[in-house]
Amino acid sequence: MYGEECKIAAMTDEECMKYDAEIRKAGWCKASEPLQQVETAKNVRVREGKVSIVDGPFVETKESLAGNYLVDVKDMNEALEIAARIPPAQVRSIEVQPLRELVITQGKHRDKSSAEKI
């Protein structure tokens, strides 16, 4: 969910929590988390082995990431239908992007059951 923070501030957490409960009950939502305001963000870069940490997102951006949903759906159309019903879609942009499978360098797919979560 991307957009200007002042617009989402007008929405209640209850609206989002109600929707979250609905998609969890339907079995679609696997994870969801709201993010704190952009002022709390840090931007980490590593260039030539040197770590650089600066406050916030890129200065030139007006939009910020508000949170995310991880949904398990049959196809992109179903994901788009779910995204269109997320309450902040009324004031923010909802980006829908499929996950990709990680492949180890030998061309094998990783075993998801033993994958560590970070």
Side-chain angles (χ1 to χ4, degrees):
M1 294 176 278
Y2 289 95
E4 295 179 45
E5 286 185 332
C6 62
K7 290 182 179 178
I8 199 167
M11 301 195 105
T12 66
D13 284 347
E14 286 78 12
E15 289 177 85
C16 296
M17 291 168 36
K18 179 182 174 193
Y19 180 72
D20 186 84
E22 289 173 13
I23 63 174
R24 284 180 185 274
K25 186 176 180 181
W28 293 317
C29 186
K30 301 302 177 192
S32 61
E33 294 297 331
L35 297 174
Q36 293 184 16
Q37 290 184 321
V38 71
E39 292 84 26
T40 65
K42 302 287 184 194
N43 190 305
V44 179
R45 294 181 184 190
V46 180
R47 301 293 186 268
E48 298 178 9
K50 186 175 180 180
V51 177
S52 171
I53 302 171
V54 295
D55 290 339
F58 294 113
V59 180
E60 61 272 9
T61 187
K62 289 184 179 179
E63 294 188 337
S64 63
L65 180 63
N68 63 58
Y69 286 95
L70 175 61
V71 296
D72 186 8
V73 294
K74 63 182 177 198
D75 58 24
M76 178 61 87
N77 287 333
E78 188 173 42
L80 294 171
E81 289 173 20
I82 291 168
R85 294 194 319 253
I86 295 172
Q90 299 169 43
V91 295
R92 298 188 84 120
S93 297
I94 308 298
E95 180 176 310
V96 178
Q97 186 172 0
L99 295 177
R100 71 174 180 87
E101 178 112 15
L102 291 177
V103 179
I104 59 175
T105 55
Q106 292 82 16
K108 299 176 185 173
H109 294 281
R110 72 179 172 136
D111 178 7
K112 291 181 186 175
S113 63
S114 64
E116 291 185 34
K117 295 183 179 182
I118 57 170

